RNA sequence: GUGAGCGUAGCUCAGCCGGUAGAGCAUCGGUCUGUGGAACCGAGGGUCGUGGGUUCAAAUCCCAUCGCUCACCCCA
């Protein structure tokens, strides 16, 4: 979290994420009295202080969703993941991998963490300085070390899946059943952890291609203890995710599947000042139909006009010369295949209206 | 916070051991006065990130500074 003093010496902090904020809103608005689980989402800018790198900016954007309520049914976790993957799919974010893990609860995790710490101490000499430090501060973090030399050592460490209590073990097992029910493919990653104590059980992450070393586009998990920790009612469970919007966009762009923005539909190629009034009039009517229209502000040579229409990526050129202005019959040219037809104003509007829907 | 790399035309970049800045693409005009994409010809566009230093002379060498990129750290 980035905290600093502003001009009035007031201490200001920039929010690094929104889950806690959502929990506070849940508490403040008494949402535990709402029927069923509260299903919430947010979109907004967040801030971090670290040096920027690819897909990791000091001001970044997150899209998040949270489910809060009395139930911690595995089906809720699975539904959250289902929604997330549907969203990615619709957005054209392909080649993603969903990793899941369970990090236990306040009963079983501390026991595992101690065990892990003891095992880490035995192999301390094989680890780098960062990991050595983390043995005491946050042993779980050693698991996501990227140092190549440490990998064989880490692979031999005790795994949390083998040390979950029976309730957590069952929850994780049921989660996998629920995911299968929804035909969601995933891989288990026993090294996927969260650093803070209020995180429980399910953790997950979605990674995508084209992002360098920062390849997670979404992270999330269960945080059954957080609402109570923040002063809310006991027994409220929660799960949610946050999408790194900047990274998701980078990955979509990289895959070349970005949807095309609505392009220029009609370029009004007019010739001669006698045709100009008719051109302006029809351009206005086309715009009223919701079409994106470009009309040159100054007279230009006809060849140049069509050339400009092409360069601007217009789908159609509407030709308005003296003949058209006099007869009221326009010439519409489709630029992709050079096919053109003559249409009265009404026919033109009708034709473009039907084209628009395709 | 740590490490590495990079700032030259709108974009991508070249510019060897210092000698007053270049290409491709893009833009604009012409060949071409009612039918686009091509080709050819021509034009415009730069305090070489900024400040200082060395030198007869600095885009080039030195120092500082700002910005950007990638990675580490961190990841609530």
């Amino acid at each position: 979290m980035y905290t600093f003093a502003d001009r009035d010496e007031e201490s200001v902090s920039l929010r690094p994420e929104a889950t806690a904020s959502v929990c506070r809103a849940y508490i403040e608005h008494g949402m535990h009295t709402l029927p069923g689980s509260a299903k919430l989402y947010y979109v907004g800018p967040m801030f971090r202080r670290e040096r920027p790198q690819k897909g990791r900016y000091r001001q970044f954007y997150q899209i998040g969703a949270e489910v809060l309520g009395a139930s911690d049914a595995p089906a809720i976790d699975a539904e959250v993941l289902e929604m997330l993957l549907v969203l990615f799919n619709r957005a054209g974010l392909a080649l993603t991998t969903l990793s899941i893990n369970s990090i236990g609860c306040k009963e079983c995790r501390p026991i595992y963490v101690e065990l892990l710490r003891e095992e880490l101490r035995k192999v301390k000499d094989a680890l780098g300085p960062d990991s050595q430090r983390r043995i005491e501060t946050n042993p779980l973090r050693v698991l996501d070390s990227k140092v190549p030399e440490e990998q064989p050592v880490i692979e031999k460490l005790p795994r949390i899946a083998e040390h979950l209590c029976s309730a957590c073990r069952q929850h994780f097992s049921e989660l996998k059943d629920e995911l299968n029910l929804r035909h969601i493919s995933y891989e288990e990653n026993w090294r996927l952890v969260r650093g803070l104590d209020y995180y429980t059980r399910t953790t997950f992450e979605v990674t995508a291609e084209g992002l360098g070393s920062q390849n997670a586009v979404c992270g999330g998990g269960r945080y059954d203890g957080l609402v109570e920790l923040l002063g809310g009612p006991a027994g409220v469970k929660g799960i949610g995710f946050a999408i790194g919007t900047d990274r998701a966009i980078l990955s979509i762009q990289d895959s070349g599947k970005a949807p095309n923005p609505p392009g220029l539909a009609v370029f009004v190629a007019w010739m001669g000042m006698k045709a100009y009034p008719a051109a302006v009039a029809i351009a206005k009517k086309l715009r009223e139909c919701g079409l994106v229209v470009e009309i040159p502000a100054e007279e230009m040579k006809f060849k140049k006009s069509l050339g400009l229409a092409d360069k601007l990526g217009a789908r159609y050129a509407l030709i308005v010369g003296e003949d058209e202005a006099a007869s009221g019959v326009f010439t519409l040219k489709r630029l992709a295949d050079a096919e053109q037809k003559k249409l009265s104003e009404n026919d033109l509007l009708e034709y473009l209206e039907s084209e628009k829907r395709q």
Side-chain angles (χ1 to χ4, degrees):
Chain A
M1 189 150 61
Y2 184 44
T3 301
F4 60 98
D6 73 2
R7 272 174 295 193
D8 301 325
E9 299 297 307
E10 189 175 4
S11 177
V12 176
S13 295
L14 300 177
R15 61 178 180 185
E17 54 121 17
T19 298
S21 307
V22 170
C23 289
R24 286 189 205 98
Y26 179 87
I27 296 164
E28 276 189 43
H29 294 90
M31 291 191 208
H32 61 286
T33 65
L34 292 173
S37 296
K39 297 181 174 179
L40 308 170
Y41 77 94
Y42 59 84
V43 176
M46 310 292 162
F47 306 85
R48 61 165 70 84
R49 186 178 38 178
E50 288 79 28
R51 285 262 180 84
Q53 49 190 300
K54 190 176 176 73
R56 192 180 163 104
Y57 312 122
R58 286 184 165 165
Q59 175 170 348
F60 60 104
Y61 292 82
Q62 284 191 343
I63 299 169
E66 316 281 350
V67 179
L68 293 145
S71 173
D72 61 356
I76 295 175
D77 306 37
E79 188 182 46
V80 164
L81 286 167
E82 178 185 334
M83 181 181 76
L84 173 65
L85 295 178
V86 166
L87 173 64
F88 278 161
N89 194 39
R90 284 194 199 165
L93 184 62
L95 302 168
T96 56
T97 304
L98 169 65
S99 304
I100 63 169
N101 192 24
S102 175
I103 56 168
C105 61
K106 63 178 186 295
E107 305 299 328
C108 53
R109 187 169 64 232
I111 299 169
Y112 168 73
V113 170
E114 259 330 294
L115 173 69
L116 180 64
R117 197 190 311 259
E118 281 168 28
E119 291 301 315
L120 282 168
R121 281 176 182 148
K122 291 180 193 165
V123 294
K124 185 174 180 181
D125 294 340
L127 300 172
D130 289 328
S131 290
Q132 288 195 13
R133 176 167 39 80
R134 285 184 287 217
I135 292 172
E136 303 308 323
T137 59
N138 199 342
L140 287 175
R141 281 273 154 229
V142 177
L143 299 181
D144 56 22
S145 159
K146 294 168 195 161
V147 180
E149 300 77 51
E150 297 180 355
Q151 302 310 310
V153 180
I154 293 170
E155 282 300 317
K156 289 183 198 137
L157 293 169
R159 307 186 173 204
I160 192 163
E162 284 139 30
H163 299 273
L164 294 174
C165 63
S166 61
C168 288
R169 193 185 301 258
Q170 188 185 345
H171 190 276
F172 192 41
S173 169
E174 287 178 21
L175 168 63
K176 287 181 274 187
D177 292 342
E178 292 283 350
L179 290 174
N180 291 334
L181 209 55
R182 290 166 173 77
H183 304 292
I184 293 170
S185 55
Y186 58 87
E187 56 187 43
E188 285 184 60
N189 178 0
W190 70 280
R191 291 169 61 173
L192 182 60
V193 295
R194 289 285 176 267
L196 295 191
D197 285 344
Y198 57 79
Y199 279 100
T200 52
R201 294 184 170 171
T202 310
T203 68
F204 56 88
E205 189 170 278
V206 178
T207 55
E209 301 202 335
L211 293 171
S213 72
Q214 300 293 328
N215 65 348
V217 289
C218 177
R222 186 159 273 292
Y223 46 88
D224 292 339
L226 183 55
V227 169
E228 187 170 2
L229 186 72
L230 292 172
V236 173
K237 317 292 202 315
I239 183 166
F241 62 75
I243 296 168
T245 313
D246 309 277
R247 285 186 207 173
I249 289 169
L250 277 176
S251 185
I252 290 167
Q253 288 173 336
D254 186 70
S255 73
K257 290 193 174 175
N260 293 322
L264 179 58
V266 181
F267 184 96
V268 179
W270 59 277
M271 282 171 280
M273 290 314 293
K274 283 184 184 161
Y276 182 62
V280 170
I282 193 65
K284 187 176 182 195
K285 288 209 171 93
L286 293 172
R287 282 170 172 154
E288 281 167 357
C289 292
L291 292 158
V292 179
V293 175
E294 178 75 14
I295 175 169
E298 293 174 290
E299 186 165 13
M300 56 174 71
K301 288 177 183 173
F302 188 54
K303 252 182 191 292
K304 191 182 159 188
S305 194
L306 279 184
L308 187 56
D310 183 50
K311 281 183 200 167
L312 294 177
R315 286 178 62 188
Y316 296 97
L318 184 69
I319 298 166
V320 186
E322 283 185 32
D323 297 348
E324 285 83 359
S327 66
V329 178
F330 298 97
T331 305
L332 184 70
K333 180 183 182 101
R334 191 194 293 146
L335 291 168
D337 58 8
E339 189 177 281
Q340 58 185 54
K341 53 182 72 180
K342 292 194 176 283
L343 296 164
S344 70
E345 181 178 312
N346 283 342
D347 290 347
L348 175 69
L349 295 175
E350 200 177 304
Y351 176 77
L352 288 174
E353 190 68 34
S354 70
E355 284 291 293
K356 203 168 62 175
R357 280 193 283 274
Q358 289 176 16

